[in-house]
Every structure is written in C-alpha cells, then in structure tokens.
Amino acid sequence: RIKNLLPLEICAASDKVFHRGRRAQHNFRLDDLGKIVTEEISRNLTTREMMRTLAKEVNKKYPGHIATEEDWLFNNAGGAMGSMWILHGSISEYLIIFGTPIGTDGHTG
C-alpha cells in the first residue's frame, strides 16, 4: 500500500516546490523582450541576420540563459508546422524563434 502512495507523494512534493516562489523562477520580462524585438525589426536586416542578432541581444540582457548557436528543429503540433530555434527552455518558461512558410492555426502549447 505504501508503494502505491509514493508516486503521488513525489508528485505532490514536486508541485509544492515548483509553485513556491514561482514568480522568482521566471528569467524574462516581456517589456525587455518587446524592446529588443522592436529595435531589431526597425533595423531592416535580412530575416537570418535579424534572428541571429535577436539571439545575441537577448543573450546580452540575460547572459547564460540563451542558446546562441543556431540549432533548428522541425515541429508539427496542433496545426502549426514549421521550424524553431529554442533559445531557452526551463520548467517555467521557454523562448523560441518559430518560423513557417505556410499559415498556421490551432493550439501549440
């Protein structure tokens, strides 16, 4: 009987740890990211240059949290098919550059 309760206890403990101080676990601020994106769009770079520069600028603002080396993954989830570069991923947030040559609809997470 105790064996059956152990996974439940582990989940409950993990849930408490995750939700305790949850705001403090977020690395990124939307207004900071918005400023960086707006500045890069206004520079009229090529798409590729803009993505690379975005990663570098976000890394300057949040050092150590961004994967600056391009590593594109293909994704097909919830009606959205495209490729993405995962700049940051953690249990509480993620930051990606997502692109697709076709229209998308649906839910992606």
Side-chain angles (χ1 to χ4, degrees), residues 71-107:
D71 188 14
W72 289 90
L73 304 170
F74 292 103
N75 178 50
N76 185 11
M81 181 185 295
S83 58
M84 64 181 169
W85 174 1
I86 302 172
L87 298 174
H88 173 84
S90 70
I91 196 165
S92 59
E93 62 190 342
Y94 64 90
L95 183 61
I96 65 172
I97 296 175
F98 180 83
T100 180
I102 57 175
T104 62
D105 60 20
H107 175 70

Side-chain angles (χ1 to χ4, degrees), residues 7-23:
L8 181 60
E9 292 297 321
I10 290 172
C11 288
S14 298
D15 187 57
K16 285 183 181 188
V17 168
F18 175 70
H19 286 96
R20 182 184 54 197
R22 187 171 179 165
R23 290 182 186 257

Side-chain angles (χ1 to χ4, degrees), residues 49-89:
E49 290 171 329
M50 182 173 41
M51 290 183 291
R52 289 178 175 164
T53 306
L54 275 171
K56 288 177 187 173
E57 292 301 316
V58 174
N59 190 51
K60 283 182 192 175
K61 182 73 177 172
Y62 301 99
H65 293 282
I66 301 298
T68 56
E69 186 175 323
E70 279 188 68
D71 188 14
W72 289 90
L73 304 170
F74 292 103
N75 178 50
N76 185 11
M81 181 185 295
S83 58
M84 64 181 169
W85 174 1
I86 302 172
L87 298 174
H88 173 84

Side-chain angles (χ1 to χ4, degrees), residues 33-51:
L33 296 173
K35 287 177 188 175
I36 293 169
V37 169
T38 301
E39 288 172 16
E40 294 310 311
I41 289 172
S42 69
R43 293 180 58 199
N44 293 319
L45 301 171
T46 66
T47 303
R48 185 126 204 195
E49 290 171 329
M50 182 173 41
M51 290 183 291

